[in-house]
Amino acid sequence: MHQYDNKEQLIAEILKTAKLFIDEFDGISDDDKHKMIEGIDKTPMQMIAYQLGWMNLIMSWDKDEKEGIEVVTPSPEYKWNKLGGLYESFYDTYKSYSLNELKELFICSVNEIVDWIKGFSDEELFNQDIRKWASSTPSKWPIWKWIHINTVAPFKSFRTKIRKWKKAALKIDL
């Protein structure tokens, strides 16, 4: 897994990979946002909804903990070994948005993540046991790993998926 020396490096990587990911959606029409392509497990809408869902979920864990609300990860309704239902809830939340609206929401959520990160010291981000929610799994990851695994890592892997989707969709449309 990628390592960061400080929060500025984490922020820079998030901004870089987020832009590369979301720019891939330029030129995809709203008519195609729900188009499933064989061999690719998500539609363009689902790819963005997944990112929005996870970014907002991890920030909500922190907000809830700071407000004294007991945090159950990933959520009270879903367990770690049954994430399919959680993903479906993300898709349901965002299915009626246009692709341009989804892109705008994505950019806003990335900016919120960056602002949220800026509120942490490097010690808070990179040390274990700073937040209960971050220590809620056996791995007891520091906060930065939760952020990385729900931003940079999927931005990269889903960029590959949307590129594959576009290539396959172009062949089908010819």
Side-chain angles (χ1 to χ4, degrees):
M1 182 182 296
H2 190 88
Q3 296 288 330
Y4 304 96
D5 293 329
N6 54 50
K7 68 181 170 183
E8 289 76 19
Q9 286 181 355
L10 174 60
I11 289 168
E13 190 68 11
I14 289 169
L15 292 172
K16 179 182 97 177
T17 56
K19 179 168 178 24
L20 289 169
F21 167 73
I22 206 63
D23 284 353
E24 291 295 338
F25 292 84
D26 292 348
I28 298 174
S29 75
D30 258 355
D31 293 339
D32 291 334
K33 72 179 181 180
H34 295 293
K35 189 175 190 176
M36 188 60 81
I37 300 286
E38 187 176 332
I40 302 163
D41 65 345
K42 291 181 180 28
T43 68
M45 179 281 302
Q46 290 172 330
M47 292 183 207
I48 298 175
Y50 179 96
Q51 313 303 327
L52 289 168
W54 275 112
M55 285 190 288
N56 290 312
L57 186 58
I58 64 170
M59 287 188 291
S60 76
W61 294 338
D62 199 56
K63 178 181 175 283
D64 287 350
E65 182 172 321
K66 289 195 315 196
E67 292 176 359
I69 299 168
E70 184 179 345
V71 177
V72 177
T73 61
S75 81
E77 298 85 23
Y78 303 103
K79 302 224 179 284
W80 287 112
N81 62 349
K82 301 275 185 182
L83 291 175
L86 180 63
Y87 302 159
E88 287 299 324
S89 74
F90 296 161
Y91 308 152
D92 287 345
T93 298
Y94 297 105
K95 67 182 174 192
S96 64
Y97 288 87
S98 72
L99 211 45
N100 280 336
E101 289 169 329
L102 289 169
K103 288 167 57 178
E104 288 175 21
L105 286 170
F106 176 83
I107 292 165
C108 287
S109 289
V110 168
N111 289 332
E112 286 175 33
I113 284 271
V114 166
D115 288 342
W116 177 56
I117 294 168
K118 287 178 180 177
F120 290 105
S121 67
D122 281 344
E123 291 76 24
E124 289 171 319
L125 277 175
F126 295 99
N127 292 326
Q128 291 180 304
D129 298 320
I130 300 300
R131 294 286 199 272
K132 287 180 189 175
W133 64 262
S135 299
S136 65
T137 62
S139 62
K140 294 189 176 230
W141 284 348
I143 295 167
W144 80 267
K145 278 192 180 183
W146 284 99
I147 295 169
H148 172 87
I149 212 72
N150 289 294
T151 58
V152 174
F155 296 168
K156 287 179 178 181
S157 62
F158 279 75
R159 179 174 182 231
T160 302
K161 277 186 193 215
I162 193 61
R163 290 168 70 95
K164 185 177 176 184
W165 183 96
K166 289 189 321 186
K167 186 176 180 181
L170 184 61
K171 282 183 182 178
I172 291 168
D173 292 340
L174 292 179

